[in-house]
Amino acid sequence: MSHSPSEPTHSPENHSDSSQESWLEQQVQHLLVAAEHELRAQGPLGLSELALIKALQGDRWQLIGPVNFMEPDKLYPVHFLLFHTLYRLRDQLAADGEALVISPLRISILPQKDSVDQTLPGEEDKLRAFYLDLSQYFMSNGDIQGMMDNFWAGMPPARPEVSVATEAAETLGFDALPASFAQVKQGFRRQVMRAHPDRGGSTEEVQKLNEAFSVLKAHYA
C-alpha cells in the first residue's frame, strides 16, 4: 500500500534523475485516477485545492504525506505535482467532451459547453506550459530538492515478491502479471470507476484497489 512517512526513506543522491522522473511519473498516473475519482464524486461544485489535497491524504488514497501549509516553500512540491496532474487530466477530459476548471479555489469537471476558457485564441497558456514541464518539480533550490522524499511516499520501495505482485494484478482484474505498467494503469482506472459508491461500490473497495496499484507501482519501478 502507499505510505506517507514524515521522514525520507531514500535520499535523492542515491537515485539518478531518470529514476526519480520515472517514479514521479508513476505517482502522477496514480494521482490522475484518484483526483478524477474525487472530483467526479463532488459534481460541478468541485473542490478547492486544499480540500483535494486533504482527500488525497486520506485513508482511501494515502498519496500525499503530511504538509505544513504555513510554509510556502514546503508546499511547493505538493502544489506543483498536483497541478501537473490536473493539467494532464484536463487534456484527457477534453478528448471526451469535458472540461476541467483549475484554480486554487475551485477544481471541477464540467461539460465542455459550460466551461470558460480564459486563454485568448492564439495565446500560449503559460501556466499550462509551466505545470506540464515536470522538470520544474526539480527546482535548483536545495531545500525544495531535499523535500522530494518527504512529499511522496518516498522513493520506490523494495520490489515485492512475484507472488505478491501477481495477487495485486488479480485484484485489478488480470489473470496474470500484465506485460507493462501501461496495462496496469488502464486496469486500475477501469476498476476504480466501477468501484465508485454511486455504482454500487464502496470506499473499502477503492482502498483495496489503491493498495494493489501501489504494489504494482513498486514491481514495475
Side-chain angles (χ1 to χ4, degrees):
M1 61 181 291
S2 297
H3 300 280
S4 302
S6 58
E7 295 292 334
T9 56
H10 293 73
S11 171
E13 297 83 23
N14 296 331
H15 299 272
S16 67
D17 289 345
S18 60
S19 67
Q20 290 177 21
E21 290 172 4
S22 175
W23 182 243
L24 281 174
E25 174 60 27
Q26 291 187 16
Q27 294 286 19
V28 168
Q29 293 300 330
H30 204 159
L31 261 180
L32 279 167
V33 176
E36 181 179 359
H37 182 92
E38 293 296 331
L39 291 171
R40 289 197 184 281
Q42 296 301 316
L45 291 179
L47 292 166
S48 67
E49 178 182 8
L50 176 59
L52 182 54
I53 287 174
K54 289 184 175 180
L56 298 172
Q57 288 176 313
D59 290 341
R60 177 183 292 173
W61 303 108
Q62 300 181 47
L63 281 174
I64 299 176
V67 179
N68 187 340
F69 294 97
M70 301 303 294
E71 298 184 39
D73 59 332
K74 293 184 178 180
L75 181 59
Y76 172 81
V78 181
H79 166 79
F80 176 84
L81 213 54
L82 178 59
F83 269 53
H84 172 86
T85 299
L86 292 172
Y87 275 97
R88 285 175 59 167
L89 179 59
R90 189 177 74 170
D91 289 349
Q92 291 181 12
L93 294 175
D96 296 325
E98 295 181 295
L100 183 64
V101 175
I102 303 175
S103 77
L105 296 180
R106 185 193 179 197
I107 303 166
S108 62
I109 298 174
L110 299 173
Q112 193 78 46
K113 61 183 178 62
D114 294 339
S115 66
V116 177
D117 189 350
Q118 298 180 341
T119 304
L120 297 175
E123 181 182 8
E124 179 187 5
D125 188 339
K126 294 182 179 179
L127 277 178
R128 177 181 180 278
F130 173 80
Y131 283 114
L132 287 183
D133 180 3
L134 195 55
S135 68
Q136 296 291 348
Y137 182 80
F138 301 93
M139 295 185 72
S140 58
N141 185 302
D143 292 336
I144 291 177
Q145 177 70 37
M147 285 187 295
M148 248 179 63
D149 290 339
N150 296 327
F151 168 43
W152 286 114
M155 295 303 289
R159 182 163 296 182
E161 297 289 337
V162 173
S163 60
V164 175
T166 300
E167 182 178 353
E170 291 172 353
T171 298
L172 295 185
F174 297 100
D175 294 330
L177 278 172
S180 68
F181 185 65
Q183 292 175 276
V184 172
K185 292 185 291 185
Q186 293 173 357
F188 176 62
R189 181 186 179 87
R190 184 167 54 247
Q191 294 294 337
V192 164
M193 292 306 170
R194 289 177 180 172
H196 192 286
D198 290 346
R199 300 182 181 181
S202 66
T203 296
E204 290 73 21
E205 287 182 66
V206 173
Q207 187 172 9
K208 184 177 180 181
L209 294 171
N210 184 54
E211 292 173 355
F213 184 75
S214 293
V215 169
L216 292 173
K217 270 197 304 187
H219 174 76
Y220 289 95

